[in-house]
Amino acid sequence: MVKIGQIELGEFPLLLAPMEDVSDPPFRAVCKEGGADLMYTEFISSEGLIRDAAKSRQKLDIFEYERPIGIQLFGGDIGNMVQSAEIATAARPDLIDINYGCPVKAVACRGAGAALLQDIPKMVKMTEEIVKCTHLPVTVKTRLGWDESTKNILEVAERLQDIGIKALSIHGRTRVQMYKGEADWTLIGKVKENPRIHIPIFGNGDIDSPEKALEYKNRYGVDGVMIGRAAIGYPWIFQEIKHYIKHGERPLPPDMNERVRATKKHLEFSIRWKGDKLGVFEMRRHYTNYFKGINDFKPFRMRLVEAPTEAEVLAILDEVVSTYNGTVVAA
C-alpha cells in the first residue's frame, strides 16, 4: 500500500498532474470518475494568494468527492510561500504540493518553479519552512535538473526527504528541455533504488498508454505514475491502465455514447463552477480532445465551438450520438 503520510493510495496509484488552465474542478471531476487516485489543483501563485487575487483564490476550490487532493503552490520568495501555504492549509486539502518543476519563462524568470533547481540550498530552506508551517503532508514535484550538466535529482531527493517531505514526483526532463524530446526515466529509477529513500517516488513524463505505464512500473520500480497531457480529453486512461495491469489486456475504448456522456458532465460542472457564459466558452477548448480520431467530426466540432448556450451544445451532442450510434475509437 502506497501512503503519503496517512493517506492511503492503493498498490500503484495513478496521479493526475497539475496543469495550468486544465486541472480545474470540472476537469478533475471527469478524471476522478475515470479512476485518478490523487489529483492536484492548478498551480497557484503564492503572491496571488497573498494579494487575494480572485483567480488565485478561486483555484483553492476543492470538493469532497475529489479527495484525496493536493493544492500546488509556486513562488520564489520563502516568506510568501510560507504565508501562502498557511492560506492553502485553511482551504482543507489533503496535502500541500510545491512546484519546483514548471519550466515556462514567466515562472522561472521570477525565481519560481524550475528556477529553484539552480539554487538547491534555497529550495531546501523553502521546503523546510513550509513543512514547519502546516500540519498537512508536504510533497514536491520537480525535474531532473536545470540542464544536462546539472541533473542533481539524486541529491535533491535525499535533501528534501531529510527535511520532511512525504512524497516526490519527478518529471523526466530538465528545465531546458521544456516538454521536448523523450522523457528520461533512468534517474527516476535511480532515485527509487537509493536505499536511503523511503518516501514514495512517482514518475512523470510521456505516460500515454497502459502498456507504457506497466513497462515503466516494472523497469523503474516507481511507486506510481503521474499523468498529465494524456488525460486531456481522455479521462478513461486511468481505468485503462488499472485494467491492463490487473488483466494484461486493454478494455474496450469508450464508444461515442460514453464520450458524449463525459463531455456533458464536464460541461455541466464547468457551467456550475464558472457560470453560464464562461462555462460554455471555456469548454470549447476541450471538444477537439474528447472527439479526437473520430472520422468526419470537423463539422460537429465547428458547431460546438460556435454554440453560445448550454442548450445548443447539448442538442449538438445528442445529434452526435445519433449520427455515430456507438462508434468505438481506439485511444
Side-chain angles (χ1 to χ4, degrees):
M1 173 68 70
V2 177
K3 297 174 69 175
I4 297 178
Q6 298 303 310
I7 304 169
E8 296 185 351
L9 297 175
E11 295 299 322
F12 187 71
L14 306 177
L15 286 60
L16 174 65
M19 294 176 283
E20 177 68 355
D21 293 327
V22 176
S23 301
D24 59 13
F27 179 74
R28 298 197 303 261
V30 293
C31 287
K32 183 68 174 182
E33 186 175 86
D37 296 302
L38 173 63
M39 305 188 296
Y40 299 86
T41 63
E42 300 171 77
F43 70 172
I44 305 175
S45 163
S46 57
E47 286 78 9
L49 280 185
I50 292 169
R51 295 196 314 269
D52 203 25
K55 185 175 182 180
S56 295
R57 284 283 179 170
Q58 188 181 38
K59 290 180 181 179
L60 292 175
D61 287 354
I62 56 178
F63 299 86
E64 286 302 311
Y65 65 80
E66 297 184 289
R67 297 189 185 277
I69 186 166
I71 289 176
Q72 190 187 74
L73 304 172
F74 77 96
D77 180 86
I78 294 177
N80 287 348
M81 282 291 283
V82 168
Q83 189 175 344
S84 68
E86 292 170 343
I87 294 170
T89 298
R92 297 181 59 249
D94 297 286
L95 58 89
I96 301 293
D97 188 74
I98 311 172
N99 183 314
Y100 294 138
C102 181
V104 300
K105 188 175 182 179
V107 173
C109 287
R110 289 159 55 191
L116 274 299
L117 287 165
Q118 297 180 104
D119 190 346
I120 303 306
K122 182 178 179 180
M123 176 196 286
V124 172
K125 181 62 176 175
M126 180 181 289
T127 307
E128 183 177 25
E129 293 303 313
I130 292 171
V131 168
K132 289 178 181 176
C133 83
T134 180
H135 67 280
L136 297 171
V138 174
T139 63
V140 163
K141 185 173 188 288
T142 189
R143 290 183 169 233
L144 302 178
W146 179 260
D147 56 25
E148 285 296 313
S149 65
T150 59
K151 290 184 176 179
N152 46 18
I153 189 61
L154 296 174
E155 173 196 353
V156 167
E158 287 193 3
R159 294 184 67 177
L160 293 180
Q161 175 185 266
D162 290 349
I163 54 92
I165 71 165
K166 300 302 183 184
L168 178 65
S169 298
I170 307 169
H171 183 99
R173 292 181 175 89
T174 64
R175 186 272 171 177
V176 169
Q177 284 180 275
M178 301 293 285
Y179 296 99
K180 298 176 182 176
E182 185 176 352
D184 178 7
W185 283 52
T186 306
L187 285 177
I188 302 176
K190 289 184 178 179
V191 171
K192 181 58 189 174
E193 292 170 1
N194 183 348
R196 282 205 63 229
I197 296 294
H198 54 78
I199 59 173
I201 302 297
F202 303 116
N204 175 228
D206 297 348
I207 297 295
D208 56 8
S209 70
E211 291 84 358
K212 186 174 284 188
L214 180 58
E215 177 191 351
Y216 282 26
K217 172 183 184 290
N218 294 335
R219 183 187 301 181
Y220 302 107
V222 290
D223 295 289
V225 295
M226 177 178 281
I227 299 166
R229 288 173 288 176
I232 300 175
Y234 203 82
W236 304 276
I237 190 170
F238 301 100
Q239 291 291 5
E240 288 187 356
I241 290 173
K242 292 178 179 181
H243 187 276
Y244 188 82
I245 290 174
K246 184 176 182 180
H247 301 288
E249 62 180 12
R250 281 194 182 210
L252 287 175
D255 63 15
M256 187 58 80
N257 292 335
E258 178 57 25
R259 286 174 182 267
V260 168
R261 192 194 68 78
T263 305
K264 286 182 174 181
K265 177 174 180 140
H266 196 159
L267 173 65
E268 176 191 358
F269 204 116
S270 182
I271 291 170
R272 195 187 328 157
W273 190 58
K274 301 173 183 177
D276 292 344
K277 186 174 181 179
L278 189 60
V280 169
F281 176 78
E282 294 199 353
M283 187 65 193
R284 291 173 178 174
R285 62 176 177 243
H286 293 283
Y287 297 130
T288 296
N289 294 306
Y290 273 116
F291 301 103
K292 185 177 180 180
I294 305 295
N295 291 332
D296 303 318
F297 194 79
K298 185 176 180 180
F300 281 112
R301 181 177 62 81
M302 296 301 294
R303 290 171 59 195
L304 285 167
V305 299
E306 293 172 357
T309 67
E310 178 186 13
E312 289 176 74
V313 172
L314 293 176
I316 296 168
L317 290 173
D318 288 340
E319 189 179 340
V320 167
V321 171
S322 62
T323 299
Y324 288 90
N325 194 25
T327 297
V328 174
V329 179

